[in-house]
């Protein structure tokens, strides 16, 4: 059942951002300005097609092609366009950093929620949460452990702060046991969280 909202409530503190969005969608559809199935289509596209799948393709290519990997680490924005759609305002100025056995990168946006939508899709709710944005800077090892990623004490953790000028993408470590897999077989293994740095890619 669709919840009915009083237009006077829009823009006030009485509605959370999620409810405001739902109320705005309701008003726009009632006035015939947008169609619900069109909005749902855009959301699905960013959740499964435009976003994480693009990022997975980029990583898989880097794992199997050393020359591409070098280009990706040198100029992420341009190299991404070789493999996947990386356009739009949120796809400009993407810097790619590599995770290694001794260094682990994790991404945050401390000011708001800047995020490379074309290669990661819609940002998860925890990424936008003020608690994550504040704590991962102060105590990244603890936050990662709470999210299920335990790192050894000798692994250096580098927190990358995204902004409107620079958005970060993590190139995760390739898991052991995947040496014989093709680029196409690697893609399904690579999830969004590994590209943000809050998880590792697991072997199949």
């Amino acid at each position: 059942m669709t919840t009915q909202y009083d237009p006077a409530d829009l823009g006030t503190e009485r509605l959370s951002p999620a409810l405001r969005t739902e109320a705005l969608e309701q008003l726009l559809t009632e006035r015939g300005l947008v169609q619900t199935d069109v909005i749902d289509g855009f959301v699905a596209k960013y959740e499964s097609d435009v976003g994480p799948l693009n990022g997975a393709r980029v990583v898989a290519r880097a794992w199997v092609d050393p020359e591409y990997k070098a280009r990706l680490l040198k100029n992420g924005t341009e190299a991404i366009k070789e493999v996947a759609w990386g356009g739009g305002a949120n796809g400009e100025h993407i810097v790619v950093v590599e995770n290694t056995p001794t260094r682990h990168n994790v991404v945050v946006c401390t000011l708001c929620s800047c995020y490379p939508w074309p290669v990661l899709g819609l940002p998860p709710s925890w990424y936008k949460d003020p608690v994550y944005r504040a704590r991962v800077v102060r105590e990244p090892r603890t936050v990662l452990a709470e999210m299920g990623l335990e790192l050894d004490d000798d692994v250096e953790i580098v927190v990358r702060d995204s902004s409107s000028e620079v958005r970060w993408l993590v190139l995760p470590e390739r898991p052991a046991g995947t040496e014989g897999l093709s680029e196409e077989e690697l893609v399904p293994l690579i999830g969004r969280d590994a590209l943000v740095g809050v998880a590792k890619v697991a072997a199949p």
Side-chain angles (χ1 to χ4, degrees):
M1 181 178 69
T2 302
T3 305
Q4 296 296 314
Y5 299 100
D6 181 350
D9 285 337
L10 295 178
T12 72
E13 294 302 318
R14 284 178 283 178
L15 290 179
S16 69
L19 289 177
R20 290 179 193 173
T21 301
E22 187 176 343
L24 179 59
E25 179 182 347
Q26 175 185 313
L27 289 173
L28 292 174
T29 53
E30 285 177 353
R31 295 178 183 179
L33 298 175
V34 298
Q35 295 180 329
T36 302
D37 57 340
V38 173
I39 295 175
D40 292 343
F42 276 114
V43 171
K45 186 175 181 66
Y46 270 93
E47 285 181 335
S48 59
D49 297 329
V50 172
L53 183 58
N54 277 344
R57 287 173 177 154
V58 169
V59 170
R61 174 69 57 85
W63 283 350
V64 302
D65 185 341
E67 292 183 359
Y68 176 75
K69 176 181 174 181
R71 294 196 299 275
L72 182 67
L73 294 174
K74 183 178 181 180
N75 189 331
T77 304
E78 293 305 313
I80 287 169
K81 293 176 183 177
E82 296 179 33
V83 177
W85 180 74
N90 292 290
E92 297 176 351
H93 312 299
I94 298 177
V95 177
V96 180
V97 286
E98 181 181 14
N99 280 352
T100 71
T102 59
R103 172 177 283 198
H104 186 89
N105 296 279
V106 61
V107 180
V108 66
C109 177
T110 55
L111 293 179
C112 49
S113 56
C114 293
Y115 192 79
W117 288 39
V119 288
L120 290 183
L122 300 176
S125 57
W126 55 261
Y127 185 85
K128 300 179 286 184
D129 193 310
V131 176
Y132 170 80
R133 286 157 41 197
R135 288 188 62 217
V136 77
V137 175
R138 297 195 311 266
E139 45 184 354
R141 196 176 303 276
T142 300
V143 171
L144 291 176
E146 291 172 358
M147 298 181 77
L149 179 58
E150 298 275 356
L151 296 173
D152 294 337
D153 291 339
D154 58 351
V155 175
E156 177 189 11
I157 300 177
V158 181
V159 179
R160 307 286 184 173
D161 193 357
S162 283
S163 67
S164 58
E165 287 77 30
V166 176
R167 289 172 171 81
W168 299 90
L169 178 69
V170 174
L171 175 59
E173 294 179 73
R174 182 172 180 170
T178 63
E179 295 78 10
L181 298 182
S182 67
E183 181 178 336
E184 293 74 18
E185 292 171 325
L186 289 167
V187 169
L189 305 179
I190 304 164
R192 177 204 61 207
D193 287 1
L195 308 183
V196 180
V198 298
K200 288 190 175 186
V201 178

